Amino acid sequence: MRDRAAEISAGTTVDVGDATTRYLLYGLLPSWFVPGLADWMMHRRTRIEETSGTKESLIHSLMMAEVGLPIALTLRYEVNPLLLTVQLGGAAVHEATALWDVKTAVDSDREVKPLEQHIHSFLESLPFGALAALMCLHADQVKSLARGGRGQEDAWRLVPRRRPLSPGYLTGIGAAIGACVLLPYGEELLRCLRTARARKKLSRKGR
């Protein structure tokens, strides 16, 4: 029996549910890395380490965790009221943190150029687009959540996918996250920490 990801990738059906799942797995999720890398490039170009520094870089890490945890859980577990709650909470907290991020940058005099603002619009809208599509796919679980999960035995626990995604797909997504998210933003944080340490040494010498 073929695994779920292989069936979806092959496009052997015209089922709307399969088409939407195919879009989420092979369209929306991989395309998320593009504005993420572009945003990192804008931070580098405006020399984040010289302005907002470590504080804003840590906020970026927080936002990635707010989005990354729900994605990781969705790739491994069935969508149910518990997972929908995590996803909705993650999207809401991510939006609030995004506002904090921009305020931090502006207050530090780091120039947030129109292009970077436009990139942010993609990064903010993609979680809501993904969540809306997922809720359409699992309307029964949305109704169950609205009822507080009553009558559903596994509503409030993580249930492994009945038809898991292939190890190849999960490995590919993991590698892409490492190359397009963890590596560049880890470099950004290290750059900010080094600059902060250098400034502290200079201030001590000037005393």
Side-chain angles (χ1 to χ4, degrees), residues 21 24 70-88 130-145 152 154-163:
T21 304
L24 289 171
I71 289 175
L73 292 176
T74 304
L75 292 175
R76 298 303 301 269
Y77 298 97
E78 290 288 334
V79 174
N80 64 3
L82 173 59
L83 193 49
L84 283 172
T85 300
V86 172
Q87 293 161 343
L88 288 166
L131 185 53
L134 201 66
M135 291 174 76
C136 288
L137 280 172
H138 299 278
D140 58 328
Q141 297 303 318
V142 176
K143 291 178 183 178
S144 180
L145 175 60
Q152 186 174 338
D154 59 358
W156 300 106
R157 66 184 182 88
L158 291 174
V159 180
R161 277 180 173 267
R162 287 183 286 273
R163 300 180 69 185

Side-chain angles (χ1 to χ4, degrees), residues 15-25 133-134 136-137:
D15 179 78
V16 173
D18 278 354
T20 303
T21 304
R22 191 180 305 126
Y23 159 71
L24 289 171
L25 290 175
L134 201 66
C136 288
L137 280 172

